[in-house]
């Protein structure tokens, strides 16, 4: 017999806790038992948030028929037998309370078969009492069915939240277990819908991909650090992946999910200077310590831990994160470093030739190279100490179209008829990202990506409101490989994609064929767009579909828009500038960044000491 009842003294050493608080705690205990049993594949199925039905099926060691009924006795465990075992607990469970507690407040069936056994075994219990047991045909491993949770304790029922909230708790908890156990393939099916699936291929990054989606997964850095008996592994986000709360920080100690201030503080300290206040890094931290130096028994829900060597843990986590961030960071010059690296401005040695609108001189780059050479010209010491970067720039988002006055038109250097190009001149592009426009007494910089995104978004929203997003058929359908969760979602939400102008069809195992798109999109971007839409909708708990449509159209606009760092032709720049300056479009991009900024001519003149 592997399972025996703990002697009462030892049982009392383990602080008793509320094991079954809500459906998520039932699922947690059952899944942890499956992990302890060496399962590599665990499927959880729930109905009505787990209140009416929970099934946890694993391919683990199974339970011997002689042990099966014993497993439901209080303090029955196969995981510890001696007080000294408490010092080096390596399993998730050890109290021997879970099955007994769950069976006491529900109707439970256990089906189990040890590998190599001829036949399986079944035990059925109601309110903690065995009502049936005997041989039963079933696959190797263990399946536990829990029905009508809290049916005999209506007071407990009252504390439960709405079904979908309870289902959400279960999903959250399985996400953590998936992170803790990248070697196990997890699947969650809630009311017939697949909510989570991880490959169980030992790759934490693939788990992160299944759970957080491509965009987050691609911005995660691996960490690996060892100092004495402490080792730290996991993933941390690049600083720009910052979140507004700590919901994407997950810490584990020896495979157990924990909430621990020392670890959180160390992570955040490592990002100091990289992140503005109120932002938190994304992190999955797995700490491995000598089990005799950590007390996991501080809290009955086992979320808190106490370290014997707190300072060492802090340092190890700090350096694990810091090293990863440092290795990945590209040196950038921030405005606060501008002063230190300030170099005197250069001035033109002679007046440049009269420049004209780029429509005359088709190749702007060639034109630039024809400019006379720049000569460095140090200016007075007083000026050097007061770099112009530190002065406030009178920049302002363009609020309304700036109309030309007659006299201004004489200043605008263009030979094209005014009506053809509008009342502005596109003078070029800088950094492959900003279009320079001269209009009235202003030099306007337009962020080409933000501008295009805004325009596409407004057009898509307008078409959507008029119910006329016309799908544009692709000559060759685009076949896209999705993750199982994404695929399930796409198949179930074909109509949603139809609404957006994407015609999609299931196409083999986890592949979909995209037959049409809402706007001209580069074929290689279609996959990213579809995946981002799916992941956003799945993550978004908002029930309101119009919010989801808007978010999806936003994705289409953002991903479909011209990127920064891309030289544009004169006609493209002209079209973008015209739309933006016509005032038809709001002056911030859908992300809330400005689309354009204007510099007053008088400000520029001041820079050159002309006034
Ligand atoms: P604990 O996990 O603390 O030992 P439980 O009440 O959760 O206590 O489980 C009691 C015992 O039942 C475990 O020690 C284990 O031997 C056995 N058991 C429970 N679930 C499984 C499972 N899925 N596969 C194999 N054995 C299991
Ligand atoms: Mg257990």
């Amino acid at each position: 017999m592997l399972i025996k009842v703990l002697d009462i003294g030892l049982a009392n050493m383990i602080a008793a806790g509320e094991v079954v608080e809500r459906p998520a705690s039932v699922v947690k205990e059952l899944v942890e038992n499956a992990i302890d049993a060496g399962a590599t594949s665990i499927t959880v199925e729930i109905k009505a948030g787990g209140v009416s039905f929970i099934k946890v099926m694993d391919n683990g060691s199974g339970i011997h028929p002689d042990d099966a009924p014993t497993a439901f006795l209080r303090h029955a465990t196969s995981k510890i037998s001696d007080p000294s075992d408490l010092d080096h607990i390596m399993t998730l469970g050890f109290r021997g309370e879970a099955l007994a507690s769950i069976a006491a407040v529900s109707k439970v069936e256990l089906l189990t078969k040890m590998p190599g056994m001829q036949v399986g075994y079944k035990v059925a219990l109601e309110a903690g009492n065995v009502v049936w047991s005997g041989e039963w045909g079933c696959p190797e491993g263990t399946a536990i069915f829990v029905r009508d949770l809290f049916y005999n304790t209506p007071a407990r029922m009252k504390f439960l939240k709405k079904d979908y909230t309870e289902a959400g708790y279960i999903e959250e908890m399985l996400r953590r277990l998936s992170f803790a156990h990248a070697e196990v393939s997890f699947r969650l099916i809630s009311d017939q819908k697949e909510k989570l699936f991880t490959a169980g291929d030992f790759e934490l990054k693939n788990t992160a991909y299944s759970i957080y989606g491509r965009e987050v997964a691609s911005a995660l850095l691996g960490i690996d650090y060892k100092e004495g008996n402490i080792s730290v592994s996991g993933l941390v986000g690049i600083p720009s992946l910052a979140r507004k709360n700590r919901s994407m920080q997950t810490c584990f100690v020896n495979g157990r999910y924990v909430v621990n201030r020392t670890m959180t503080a160390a992570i955040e300290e490592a990002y100091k200077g990289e992140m503005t206040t109120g932002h938190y890094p994304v992190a999955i931290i797995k700490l491995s310590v000598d089990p005799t130096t950590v007390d996991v028994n501080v809290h009955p829900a086992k979320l808190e831990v106490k370290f014997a060597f707190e300072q060492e843990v802090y340092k190890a986590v700090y350096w694990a994160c810091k090293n990863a961030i440092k290795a990945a960071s590209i040196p950038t010059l921030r405005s606060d470093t501008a002063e230190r690296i300030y170099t005197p401005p250069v001035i033109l040695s002679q007046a440049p030739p009269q420049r004209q609108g780029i429509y005359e001189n088709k190749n702007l780059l060639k034109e630039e190279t024809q400019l006379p050479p720049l000569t460095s010209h140090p200016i007075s010491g007083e000026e050097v100490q007061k770099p112009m970067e530190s002065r406030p720039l009178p920049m302002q988002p363009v609020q309304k179209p700036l109309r030309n006055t007659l006299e201004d038109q004489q200043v605008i250097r263009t030979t094209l008829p005014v009506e053809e190009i509008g009342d502005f001149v596109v003078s070029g592009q800088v950094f492959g990202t900003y279009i320079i426009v001269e209009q009235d007494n202003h030099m306007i910089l337009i962020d080409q990506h933000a501008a295009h995104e805004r325009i596409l978004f407004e057009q898509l929203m307008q078409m959507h409101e008029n119910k006329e997003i016309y799908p544009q058929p692709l000559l060759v359908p685009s076949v896209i490989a999705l993750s199982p969760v994404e695929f399930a979602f796409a198949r179930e939400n074909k109509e949603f994609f139809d609404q957006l102008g994407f015609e999609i069809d299931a196409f083999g195992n986890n592949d979909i064929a995209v037959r049409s798109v809402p706007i001209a999109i580069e074929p290689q971007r279609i996959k990213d767009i579809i995946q981002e839409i799916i992941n956003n909708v799945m993550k978004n708990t908002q029930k309101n579909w119009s919010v989801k449509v808007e978010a999806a159209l936003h994705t289409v606009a953002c991903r479909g828009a011209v990127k920064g760092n891309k030289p544009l032709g004169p006609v493209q720049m002209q079209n973008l500038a015209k739309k933006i300056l016509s005032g038809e479009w709001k002056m911030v991009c859908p992300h809330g960044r400005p689309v354009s900024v204007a510099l007053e001519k008088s400000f520029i003149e001041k820079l050159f000491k002309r006034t």
Side-chain angles (χ1 to χ4, degrees), residues 2-4 19 29-39 56-64 67-68 70-80 91-102 110-112 114 141-144 302:
L2 289 170
I3 303 175
K4 50 207 155 293
V19 180
E29 293 294 337
L30 297 181
V31 171
E32 287 187 344
N33 279 347
I35 295 169
D36 284 346
V56 176
M57 193 169 83
D58 69 54
N59 64 351
S61 66
I63 304 175
H64 193 277
D67 281 339
T70 315
F72 288 94
L73 298 177
R74 195 160 292 274
H75 306 311
T77 181
S78 58
K79 297 168 194 173
I80 53 173
T91 54
L92 295 165
F94 59 87
R95 294 159 198 261
E97 287 182 313
L99 290 186
S101 310
I102 294 165
L110 168 94
L111 274 60
T112 187
M114 292 177 94
T142 303
I144 298 193
K302 294 181 280 183

Side-chain angles (χ1 to χ4, degrees), residues 16 294 393 491 533:
V294 57
L393 298 182
R491 212 177 35 187
I533 292 175

Side-chain angles (χ1 to χ4, degrees), residues 334-360:
R334 295 198 308 262
S335 58
D336 55 349
T337 55
E339 204 147 326
R340 269 184 290 121
I341 54 113
Y342 178 72
T343 46
V346 289
I347 58 162
L348 295 169
S349 63
Q350 60 184 93
Q354 185 78 33
R355 284 187 59 189
Q356 301 193 320
I358 55 164
Y359 307 104
E360 270 246 315

